[in-house]
Amino acid sequence: MKIIELHKSLTESNDRDADALRARMKAAGTLMINVMSSPGSGKTTLLSRIIGDIGKEVRIGVLEADIDASVDAERIEALGARSIQAHTDGMCHMDAGMTAAALDEMGTGDLDLVFLENVGNLICPAEFDTGAGCNVMLLSVTEGDDKPLKYPLMFSESDALIVTKTDALSFFDFDLKKCEERAKRLNPAIRIFPVSAKTGEGMAALEEWIRKRMAEWKDTKT
Amino acid sequence: MKIIELHKSLTESNDRDADALRARMKAAGTLMINVMSSPGSGKTTLLSRIIGDIGKEVRIGVLEADIDASVDAERIEALGARSIQAHTDGMCHMDAGMTAAALDEMGTGDLDLVFLENVGNLICPAEFDTGAGCNVMLLSVTEGDDKPLKYPLMFSESDALIVTKTDALSFFDFDLKKCEERAKRLNPAIRIFPVSAKTGEGMAALEEWIRKRMAEWKDTKT
């Protein structure tokens, strides 16, 4: 498992860099999914489950972005998937230049699917296009159903909302229906997947959606 | 309950603004505690509990900072404490100028204690001195004991780490001892308070610490 120290892209043209990276990944037929959430919403646990479930049929790589440490990349690598740990030099998000540099270091030519596990932060990552083919966000039931009201941008920018830790629903005041209504008010097209990576509940529907996105990514031309 | 729309301070001298605000609050004998954490760690629930426990003897005000919504300030006001909702114009943190503007709007002259409930974000708020007399951070047991490794700055900048939702400890893989060791490695002086705002467990020790900080704030001269 490699660790790469990243620094903020010198270029100001993040959107252009993001489009260039997306076009490159499209030409290679590799779908990159940008995974965003608060710290501790269960991103690494969810990705570990997905790798266990579909990692034999789909060649998966994971780019782990954190300010420090390498615990997540180590967890992923122990599952047999390719992984790289990117350190963001104190920064609270990934931009397209940083993402491209880390992908180059990891190597993606032979992969079908790359997850970018963004820095744990419900705000800033939503402001930067990473060049991913699609964006998903996690919200754990322990965080509360009011989060779409308080952090609207990430809900607007995500293709799917994955509600995690549903096995703990009985323990917390989380109204799934209210959360869905609030998310759909911001983003009517958003797909919502309540899951428990611990019990496996809801994972099949999410994985089916990922497979479909991969097929579309390979089929359509930009 | 008022809502104030804030914009990033024009001045670049945040540290100077912070020192000026701190001196002003010191002269008035009002302690401001900056409360930081990830979204959904239970900041508002903790403050509600503190207001219920000590709000009769201590005059408390709460500055609620969020990108959008006013659900938190409404919860606080329903408890009879003074509150103002500050909207941060999309920004992921509070700076000293924004804090001073919101405090002016709320009025703090007759208060003993002001909590600044910062934007839910485990990264950026730690980079900006708000002018508070002390900093505390929350980490809920649902977020994981690895957070000091991945988000070190906030642990370094906080006088106290409040580990919340301990009533859910049996439900989650959270090693309190490991978390404490990791936090103390970053900040040997940090005080650690495991609490459940739901059951009240651990609240007395935290409230005792707050009372002591208030007494020191009134007694000592800068």
Side-chain angles (χ1 to χ4, degrees):
Chain A
M1 190 263 312
K2 284 179 187 168
I3 298 182
I4 181 171
E5 308 288 334
L6 299 172
H7 306 283
K8 196 174 180 178
S9 308
L10 291 173
T11 169
E12 287 306 298
S13 55
N14 185 63
D15 286 351
R16 217 182 319 150
D17 291 352
D19 286 340
L21 176 56
R22 203 160 17 243
R24 203 182 92 187
M25 299 294 276
K26 182 95 185 167
T30 307
L31 174 65
M32 175 163 65
I33 299 181
N34 175 26
V35 183
M36 302 179 285
S37 82
S38 298
S41 297
K43 292 185 287 302
T44 315
T45 303
L46 182 79
L47 296 183
S48 299
R49 177 91 202 193
I50 292 173
I51 291 166
D53 288 351
I54 66 170
K56 287 225 164 65
E57 36 165 324
V58 177
R59 293 165 301 176
I60 300 176
V62 180
L63 195 177
E64 291 288 349
D66 277 300
I67 290 175
D68 210 341
S70 58
V71 283
D72 289 348
E74 286 160 15
R75 277 175 71 188
I76 294 294
E77 203 150 79
L79 298 168
R82 192 176 311 163
S83 185
I84 186 169
Q85 178 73 52
H87 287 165
T88 61
D89 192 28
M91 260 181 306
C92 53
H93 65 273
M94 288 286 281
D95 64 23
M98 293 157 75
T99 303
L103 292 181
D104 284 345
E105 188 69 29
M106 177 168 79
T108 60
D110 55 339
L111 299 177
D112 304 306
L113 181 62
V114 171
F115 290 106
L116 160 57
E117 186 180 328
N118 217 312
V119 182
N121 181 333
L122 204 53
I123 306 172
C124 319
E127 296 166 17
F128 293 84
D129 188 344
T130 58
C134 84
N135 291 324
V136 303
M137 68 171 292
L138 277 60
L139 179 70
S140 79
V141 302
T142 70
E143 292 173 70
D145 52 42
D146 60 348
K147 294 300 164 288
L149 303 175
K150 293 158 86 175
Y151 307 92
L153 185 65
M154 196 172 285
F155 292 84
S156 301
E157 294 290 332
S158 294
D159 300 295
L161 163 63
I162 305 169
V163 179
T164 57
K165 308 190 190 180
T166 56
D167 53 289
L169 257 176
S170 62
F171 221 82
F172 293 91
D173 268 343
F174 186 97
D175 189 326
L176 191 56
K177 204 158 167 252
K178 243 186 220 168
C179 177
E180 291 189 359
E181 282 168 11
R182 288 165 175 165
K184 294 223 168 190
R185 210 173 301 145
L186 294 164
N187 180 353
I190 199 168
R191 290 291 308 272
I192 299 176
F193 298 98
V195 305
S196 165
K198 210 193 239 177
T199 66
E201 192 192 2
M203 291 300 300
L206 172 61
E207 287 157 2
E208 187 51 39
W209 181 80
I210 292 173
R211 273 198 201 90
K212 218 171 139 192
R213 301 301 302 235
M214 287 174 55
E216 284 170 10
W217 188 250
K218 287 199 195 226
D219 281 353
T220 57
K221 299 286 164 208
T222 340
Chain B
M1 189 265 312
K2 285 179 186 166
I3 299 182
I4 181 171
E5 308 287 335
L6 300 171
H7 306 282
K8 196 176 180 177
S9 308
L10 290 173
T11 169
E12 287 306 296
S13 55
N14 184 62
D15 287 351
R16 217 182 319 150
D17 291 352
D19 286 340
L21 176 57
R22 202 158 20 240
R24 203 182 92 189
M25 300 293 277
K26 183 94 185 167
T30 306
L31 175 64
M32 173 162 67
I33 300 181
N34 175 27
V35 183
M36 303 180 283
S37 82
S38 299
S41 297
K43 291 184 289 302
T44 314
T45 302
L46 182 79
L47 296 182
S48 300
R49 176 92 203 192
I50 292 172
I51 291 166
D53 288 350
I54 66 170
K56 287 225 163 64
E57 36 165 322
V58 176
R59 294 165 298 174
I60 300 176
V62 180
L63 194 179
E64 291 288 347
D66 277 300
I67 291 176
D68 210 342
S70 58
V71 284
D72 289 348
E74 286 160 15
R75 277 174 69 186
I76 294 294
E77 205 149 76
L79 298 169
R82 192 176 311 162
S83 184
I84 185 168
Q85 178 73 51
H87 287 164
T88 62
D89 191 27
M91 258 181 308
C92 52
H93 64 272
M94 288 286 281
D95 63 26
M98 293 157 74
T99 303
L103 292 181
D104 284 345
E105 189 68 30
M106 177 168 80
T108 60
D110 56 339
L111 298 177
D112 304 306
L113 181 61
V114 171
F115 290 106
L116 160 57
E117 186 180 329
N118 216 311
V119 182
N121 181 333
L122 203 53
I123 306 172
C124 319
E127 296 166 18
F128 294 84
D129 188 345
T130 58
C134 84
N135 292 323
V136 303
M137 68 171 291
L138 278 60
L139 179 69
S140 79
V141 302
T142 70
E143 293 172 70
D145 52 41
D146 60 348
K147 292 302 165 285
L149 303 175
K150 293 156 88 174
Y151 306 93
L153 186 65
M154 194 171 286
F155 292 84
S156 301
E157 295 291 331
S158 294
D159 300 294
L161 164 62
I162 305 169
V163 179
T164 58
K165 308 191 191 179
T166 56
D167 54 287
L169 257 176
S170 62
F171 220 83
F172 292 93
D173 267 344
F174 186 95
D175 189 325
L176 191 54
K177 208 161 164 248
K178 243 186 219 168
C179 178
E180 290 189 1
E181 282 169 10
R182 287 165 175 165
K184 294 223 167 187
R185 210 172 302 145
L186 293 165
N187 181 352
I190 199 167
R191 291 291 308 271
I192 299 175
F193 298 98
V195 305
S196 165
K198 209 193 241 176
T199 67
E201 192 192 3
M203 292 299 301
L206 172 62
E207 286 156 4
E208 188 49 39
W209 181 81
I210 292 172
R211 273 198 201 88
K212 220 173 137 191
R213 300 301 303 234
M214 286 174 56
E216 285 170 9
W217 188 251
K218 287 198 195 226
D219 282 353
T220 59
K221 300 283 164 212
T222 340

